[in-house]
Amino acid sequence: MKVVIVLLLAAVSLGHAEHRGRDYVRDKICQEFNSMGKDNFRSLAIIMNSKKFSNATFEEISHLVKEVVSLAETCCAKGADPSCYETGTNSIMPAPSLSVWTGHGPVHRCGFTHEYSSNYGQAPLPVLVGSIKSYLSMVGTCCISPSPTVCFLKERLERKTLSILTTMSNKICSRYAVYGKEKSKFSTLIMFAQKIPSASSEDLSPLAEDSAEVFSKCCSSMAEDCMQKELSELTTKICTKLSSKDQKFSDCCKGKNLLENYLCMYSLQPAKSPQLPEIQRPTDEQLCTDDGSHQMDQFTFEIARRHTNIPEVFLSKVYDAAHNLVNGCCTAADSIACVSSKRPQLRGEILKFLTKASELCGEYNDLTFLEFKQRLKESFSKTMPDAAPASLTELVERRANFASTCCIMNAPPVYCGLKINAEVGHTCDHDSCMLI
């Protein structure tokens, strides 16, 4: 545990030193390098750079590593020339895509650390460091065990909580990095709304607010136990509020491990869309009051619970368009006239968009993949009777790949945001696109 704390302190030094000049950087780097030792310094450096530059290959990082560690050993030695650091970094300055201070060590440990950090690059640094150290410790222990299979099974069970924490924190922090706090709150609200569509926004909004607070607090925190502690407390709140409203949530909350309970709830599939009263749309006048944004969020929430087969990445388009309307019209000289002129056309566009999204994702989730592709082929054949067989095949494959990636729960928001525009339609890419 002490080593982890030292690593985290070093991370703070590395992260903030660059603003204080080269002498400060050299002194802090050497202080940490000498106190931590080459192996621990290397491990932290690989983690940090793999997180920050996840597209870099291991070969790119390794090429720089050799020179950098040599530089550190030379310039941080007692009696080294004060200009050694600046001269050395100028001579080996890497391409802009890579950081100077990476690390170096046994190849197998560095393939693993680099790949693991790239795959879980959005997990908080303390969680990532702890998980990597735990995994390497497990390998080191079990590979010399007389019964390695039994050892690995035992060790994996013991590190199950840490494994779940790493996976879940990477998922939620990845989405938080894209969405920010307010949209993360909306995303979580939609998740709850589609899993328990019978619950009201009054039940779910506080939980979405609390979730966004946890993500905001812990995704960039250097506190070692922030994510585990806060996510456990959040799980308790969710279970207390929602167990009585849904049997599946209740079943998830019966476990003794709170992080397992959270994963269980997070993984629940959306419920079937219920029969609910017609949505009450906000009036033009309501949209440009202090409560206008809330009115738009409430409207999107009501859409989500009535169309549970439309994933959040699609409804995110509705969210964006709704806030574009509020932000665009409500600063105009005649805000009500602006809203009134925009809503009729955009209402029709949104209806078409939701219909196409519901049809596509509904079929994808209701049919087997082969049946879904056959349905696509039949549909394209009707709408494009003169298309060549090769063109139809290409269209079917492209649409099927899109659906398999974006018609699923927790679909990647950046990738799907772009693909939705191309495959389903535009909703907010130009000035007139402002919703309902």
Side-chain angles (χ1 to χ4, degrees):
M1 191 63 65
K2 182 179 180 182
V3 174
V4 175
I5 293 173
V6 172
L7 287 172
L8 298 180
L9 289 173
V12 175
S13 300
L14 291 172
H16 296 288
E18 62 185 3
H19 301 293
R20 306 189 186 184
R22 283 195 178 267
D23 289 343
Y24 180 85
V25 174
R26 180 199 62 214
D27 291 346
K28 293 302 295 182
I29 291 294
C30 290
Q31 177 185 337
E32 303 300 351
F33 181 84
N34 290 325
S35 64
M36 293 165 60
K38 183 163 62 176
D39 285 347
N40 286 333
F41 185 85
R42 176 198 64 226
S43 295
L44 174 68
I46 292 174
I47 291 170
M48 293 182 68
N49 285 283
S50 296
K51 277 169 64 71
K52 188 172 184 181
F53 307 109
S54 59
N55 290 330
T57 66
F58 177 57
E59 288 73 19
E60 288 176 316
I61 291 180
S62 296
H63 177 74
L64 178 63
V65 158
K66 183 176 181 180
E67 295 186 64
V68 167
V69 171
S70 176
L71 176 68
E73 290 178 310
T74 300
C75 296
C76 296
K78 186 175 181 180
D81 190 324
S83 66
C84 173
Y85 168 78
E86 183 169 359
T87 302
T89 53
N90 286 338
S91 66
I92 67 165
M93 189 61 67
S97 62
L98 296 175
S99 168
V100 171
W101 290 101
T102 56
H104 159 269
V107 171
H108 70 277
R109 181 175 176 183
C110 294
F112 172 75
T113 303
H114 168 68
E115 290 296 331
Y116 197 91
S117 300
S118 297
N119 291 338
Y120 296 94
Q122 293 297 335
L125 184 61
V127 174
L128 194 55
V129 170
S131 189
I132 289 175
K133 287 181 63 64
S134 171
Y135 190 92
L136 292 174
S137 175
M138 176 182 70
V139 172
T141 299
C142 294
C143 285
I144 60 173
S145 169
S147 302
T149 302
V150 175
C151 178
F152 273 115
L153 178 60
K154 177 177 177 292
E155 292 289 331
R156 285 182 186 278
L157 288 174
E158 289 184 357
R159 70 184 300 273
K160 185 176 181 180
T161 296
L162 181 56
S163 178
I164 292 174
L165 178 64
T166 305
T167 300
M168 287 308 307
S169 61
N170 184 65
K171 287 180 180 292
I172 59 183
C173 292
S174 294
R175 193 161 291 261
Y176 184 81
V178 174
Y179 280 166
K181 188 173 182 179
E182 285 305 309
K183 201 168 180 182
S184 290
K185 180 171 67 176
F186 162 81
S187 176
T188 306
L189 179 64
I190 298 307
M191 178 188 75
F192 286 133
Q194 295 190 320
K195 294 178 192 292
I196 313 181
S198 60
S200 68
S201 62
E202 288 75 18
D203 292 325
L204 303 181
S205 290
L207 297 176
E209 181 82 41
D210 290 341
S211 298
E213 286 294 335
V214 170
F215 308 156
S216 173
K217 179 178 181 181
C218 294
C219 282
S220 59
S221 174
M222 297 300 292
E224 192 171 342
D225 64 344
C226 182
M227 186 59 80
Q228 181 166 353
K229 177 176 178 292
E230 295 291 335
L231 208 55
S232 296
E233 292 178 2
L234 175 64
T235 302
T236 301
K237 290 180 182 179
I238 295 172
C239 287
T240 300
K241 189 72 173 180
L242 300 181
S243 286
S244 62
K245 298 184 179 298
D246 184 84
Q247 185 59 48
K248 291 180 179 179
F249 266 77
S250 179
D251 291 341
C252 283
C253 293
K254 291 177 181 177
K256 295 182 180 180
N257 186 312
L258 290 175
L259 291 180
E260 286 189 41
N261 296 351
Y262 184 86
L263 174 61
C264 178
M265 292 184 289
Y266 186 88
S267 302
L268 287 175
Q269 294 300 309
K272 292 293 183 182
S273 300
Q275 293 294 322
L276 294 171
E278 184 178 352
I279 300 176
Q280 296 298 309
R281 293 180 174 84
T283 66
D284 294 349
E285 290 78 11
Q286 286 176 316
L287 291 181
C288 288
T289 64
D290 291 338
D291 198 38
S293 292
H294 172 73
Q295 293 284 343
M296 288 285 88
D297 291 351
Q298 179 68 26
F299 177 77
T300 312
F301 166 81
E302 296 294 345
I303 292 176
R305 64 201 291 239
R306 286 165 172 80
H307 299 277
T308 58
N309 63 341
I310 302 180
E312 179 269 331
V313 286
F314 289 83
L315 295 171
S316 176
K317 296 290 186 180
V318 180
Y319 173 94
D320 289 338
H323 284 266
N324 282 346
L325 173 64
V326 172
N327 296 333
C329 276
C330 296
T331 56
D334 193 341
S335 58
I336 295 177
C338 176
V339 171
S340 298
S341 67
K342 300 291 185 183
R343 291 185 78 172
Q345 178 185 353
L346 270 297
R347 185 182 297 124
E349 290 188 16
I350 288 298
L351 180 59
K352 290 179 184 178
F353 173 77
L354 293 176
T355 300
K356 291 169 70 175
S358 180
E359 179 180 335
L360 176 69
C361 293
E363 289 183 350
Y364 174 78
N365 288 304
D366 291 341
L367 302 173
T368 67
F369 193 57
L370 289 178
E371 290 172 337
F372 176 68
K373 290 178 71 173
Q374 182 60 33
R375 185 71 61 88
L376 287 177
K377 183 177 180 181
E378 293 169 358
S379 176
F380 281 127
S381 296
K382 289 179 181 178
T383 58
M384 306 173 65
D386 298 327
S391 298
L392 285 177
T393 299
E394 182 180 351
L395 286 171
V396 168
E397 290 298 326
R398 190 182 75 183
R399 184 63 57 88
N401 288 337
F402 163 70
S404 66
T405 304
C406 300
C407 284
I408 59 174
M409 183 178 59
N410 304 315
V414 174
Y415 174 86
C416 288
L418 297 173
K419 288 296 183 180
I420 285 169
N421 287 344
E423 298 291 337
V424 180
H426 298 266
T427 58
C428 51
D429 289 345
H430 49 83
D431 292 340
S432 65
C433 193
M434 294 181 180
L435 181 63
I436 66 174

